[in-house]
Amino acid sequence: MENLPTPVITIGLNLNNRNFDYSMEELNNLIIANHMESVETVTQKLDHPDSGSYFGKGKVEFLAQLIETTEAETIVVNDELSPSQIRNLENQTKATVIDRTGLILEIFANRAQTREAKLQVQMAKLKYQLPRLRTSASQRLDQQSAGGGLANRGSGETKIELNRRTIEHQINHVRNELKEIDRSLETQSKQRLANEIKTVALIGYTNAGKSTIMNKLVSQFGKNEAKQVFVKNMLFATLDTNVRDIRLPDNKQFLLSDTVGFVSELPHSLVQAFKSTLAEAANADLLIQVVDYSDPNQELMMETTAKTLKEIGVPDLPMIKVFNKADLTDSQFPSREGDNLIISAQDESSIASLVDVIREKLFANYVTQTFLIPFAKGEIVNTFNNKYDVQATTYTGEGTQLVVNLPENEVARYENYLEK
Ligand SMILES: Nc1nc2c(ncn2[C@@H]2O[C@H](COP(=O)(O)OP(=O)(O)OP(=O)(O)O)[C@@H](O)[C@H]2O)c(=O)[nH]1
Ligand SMILES: [Mg+2]
């Protein structure tokens, strides 16, 4: 039997922010994703966080009472706190305090599967811990002074120094390991560049259906249709970038990548750590932003996505928006407005319209031309058949006549055989 979720108290400051309710809802989803359950939610309206203890004095006292009277022993905070805020809150409430960043790092740590993802999460965690070492160190000092003597203070400080050096050492170690992996990934993407294969990246808010769409495309058009990715109704189901070869029936090929989903205020250290994984998106020819159309917060989720892309350093790339899960709404699907689509990943004709838009966007520079290839140049006929969409083949006295849809810049290469 599975363990029951850990009871916690969630708290958040409302700084007159229009996104406040949404961010509290998101926090609750993050809590569920971390196998916790909120037994009580406490919010406060303030102009700015209390620099000492985040909440004001009265509210902190109220929290201390709640910790005493409920089964919860942990407080989860909707913002990233300073080390001293965490320390003060912990001292005053006698609870364990986890801030939003710490929570997201925990979820990522539990989800990471591949060596790369594990290292990336570890890097983010170490960087988060480094400035926070003071927390436990000062606590130790407090305890020592409470014990009466200053005699031990020196040894306490040496310990902090030791911890700091251990963490810095670990950071270097992880950084080197990541560099190794990065190098091999770089070779792979250079190869792609050399092959001029187009790339498409699925991006967007977590749980929108990116991996589901990936799987549908892979099972219909994948070179290896068995290579399905993990799908689950939870936040951050995907942490690793998965890249798959897609080959449409008309020989148009591209690489499709699926990657980690976004959430608002994704910790900076995590974004940094995942940069190389997310580079897949930064280099794409086309981004497909998947949006959960059944979610009332979809506008804010799109804002979150835009912000995160900026933070990763993704340039202004061609992007289409796919409003997914329309089966859960009253809207007609599939339907298209400009380059944007309303679809359901579970519906076959939806996937077909998505493929149409991808094809249009990705292969816009394709032209249809007629060539007459002499019989002696059979290898060109083979190339056409393997690489491009051959729409008609006629055998004439002079050679093979082919109607071919191919990239405009490739035409020059076969100029001698163009039929005028
Ligand atoms: N009803 C409905 N459910 C969908 C649709 N697309 C995806 N889902 C479900 O939504 C949940 C999340 O899907 P995923 O494909 O894992 O979402 P994701 O965007 O990859 O999520 P992360 O990897 O966490 O970022 C799963 O339970 C899917 O079965 C859809 O069109 N309709
Ligand atoms: Mg996914």
Side-chain angles (χ1 to χ4, degrees):
M1 224 179 75
E2 260 199 48
N3 291 336
L4 287 172
T6 311
V8 301
I9 293 170
T10 41
I11 70 171
L13 264 191
N14 184 351
L15 307 169
N16 275 323
N17 180 340
R18 74 180 171 97
N19 300 344
F20 179 67
D21 291 338
Y22 159 67
S23 81
M24 285 304 286
E25 204 179 312
E26 193 176 58
L27 181 71
N28 199 46
N29 289 331
L30 289 168
I31 281 169
I32 295 167
N34 202 33
H35 204 56
M36 293 168 157
E37 179 188 30
S38 173
V39 293
E40 200 80 53
T41 301
V42 183
T43 63
Q44 182 171 31
K45 268 196 175 174
L46 285 180
D47 291 335
H48 51 82
D50 184 282
S51 60
S53 56
Y54 181 67
F55 266 7
K57 194 162 173 266
K59 278 283 177 183
V60 175
E61 279 166 12
F62 178 61
L63 281 178
Q65 276 175 18
L66 275 181
I67 289 295
E68 252 182 46
T69 52
T70 64
E71 47 178 343
E73 286 168 1
T74 304
I75 295 173
V76 183
V77 189
N78 193 27
D79 289 287
E80 184 170 315
L81 299 190
S82 73
S84 69
Q85 282 173 325
I86 293 191
R87 184 172 69 238
N88 291 337
L89 261 182
E90 287 193 333
N91 286 343
Q92 289 164 33
T93 60
K94 307 283 174 271
T96 304
V97 172
I98 301 176
D99 69 0
R100 191 184 175 96
T101 303
L103 176 68
I104 296 178
L105 285 172
E106 254 181 50
I107 301 171
F108 269 61
N110 290 330
R111 299 269 202 273
Q113 294 289 333
T114 62
R115 183 160 158 263
E116 187 184 22
K118 282 181 183 159
L119 287 169
Q120 285 168 324
V121 176
Q122 203 187 339
M123 174 69 109
K125 264 184 126 169
L126 290 168
K127 284 193 168 164
Y128 173 73
Q129 278 168 9
L130 198 55
R132 282 169 177 75
L133 268 183
R134 223 171 261 276
T135 311
S136 52
S138 328
Q139 257 169 1
R140 203 173 307 125
L141 286 181
D142 289 348
Q143 282 156 14
Q144 280 164 1
S145 358
L150 292 173
N152 283 332
R153 186 163 279 196
S155 73
E157 271 164 355
T158 322
K159 244 184 195 153
I160 312 169
E161 200 40 50
L162 206 68
N163 281 342
R164 177 181 302 281
R165 256 183 274 136
T166 314
I167 291 192
E168 278 167 355
H169 180 76
Q170 284 174 326
I171 288 180
N172 276 333
H173 184 74
V174 174
R175 184 178 290 131
N176 286 337
E177 284 201 53
L178 276 170
K179 259 190 206 148
E180 281 301 313
I181 299 178
D182 205 22
R183 224 167 281 150
S184 62
L185 285 178
E186 222 172 89
T187 340
Q188 284 173 26
S189 49
K190 276 212 185 100
Q191 205 119 30
R192 274 173 216 150
L193 224 58
N195 291 340
E196 289 179 33
I197 295 186
K198 303 269 187 189
T199 58
V200 178
L202 291 157
I203 51 128
Y205 199 87
T206 178
N207 212 41
K210 300 178 292 298
S211 301
T212 308
I213 292 175
M214 167 96 154
N215 282 344
K216 294 288 170 186
L217 290 169
V218 167
S219 64
Q220 277 190 49
F221 308 110
K223 266 196 184 150
N224 180 351
E225 72 267 23
K227 281 178 93 177
Q228 299 274 301
V229 299
F230 180 62
V231 165
K232 202 175 170 189
N233 188 15
M234 64 180 190
L235 302 194
F236 306 122
T238 308
L239 285 196
D240 305 296
T241 298
N242 294 296
V243 183
R244 299 287 183 270
D245 273 296
I246 302 289
R247 191 182 195 130
L248 301 178
D250 59 4
N251 268 344
K252 296 209 168 57
Q253 282 184 62
F254 59 91
L255 289 166
L256 182 66
S257 68
D258 173 37
T259 188
V260 57
F262 305 150
V263 72
S264 61
E265 284 153 72
L266 207 55
H268 189 67
S269 59
L270 260 185
V271 172
Q272 287 303 317
F274 274 80
K275 240 180 178 161
S276 78
T277 315
L278 292 162
E280 223 37 80
N283 295 324
D285 295 289
L286 176 69
L287 298 179
I288 301 179
Q289 180 180 172
V290 184
V291 182
D292 183 346
Y293 196 48
S294 70
D295 196 305
N297 290 315
Q298 52 183 281
E299 285 294 332
L300 292 165
M301 292 169 164
M302 284 189 273
E303 275 175 32
T304 295
T305 301
K307 252 196 210 156
T308 314
L309 286 176
K310 214 168 170 193
E311 202 180 343
I312 308 163
V314 174
D316 235 346
L317 299 169
M319 176 160 83
I320 61 174
K321 286 189 183 139
V322 169
F323 296 91
N324 188 36
K325 305 196 189 182
D327 57 293
L328 302 177
T329 73
D330 296 331
S331 302
Q332 290 275 359
F333 63 89
S335 82
R336 179 172 175 175
E337 204 168 292
D339 291 329
N340 299 333
L341 286 173
I342 299 175
I343 68 160
S344 162
Q346 295 165 348
D347 162 55
E348 226 169 86
S349 55
S350 287
I351 298 300
S353 8
L354 175 59
V355 168
D356 284 344
V357 180
I358 295 176
R359 192 189 266 121
E360 273 173 40
K361 301 297 287 182
L362 221 47
F363 306 104
N365 64 336
Y366 272 53
V367 291
T368 303
Q369 296 282 6
T370 308
F371 299 91
L372 183 67
I373 312 292
F375 291 120
K377 298 275 179 189
E379 73 276 6
I380 298 181
V381 177
N382 285 341
T383 306
F384 282 175
N385 278 313
N386 290 330
K387 276 180 85 173
Y388 308 125
D389 181 23
V390 176
Q391 296 169 350
T393 306
T394 320
Y395 299 98
T396 72
E398 294 148 78
T400 316
Q401 191 198 51
L402 301 133
V403 180
V404 188
N405 186 242
L406 78 175
E408 199 167 14
N409 58 357
E410 290 288 302
V411 174
R413 204 186 281 211
Y414 307 104
E415 200 163 10
N416 292 341
Y417 311 112
L418 261 181
E419 276 220 326
K420 299 281 151 29

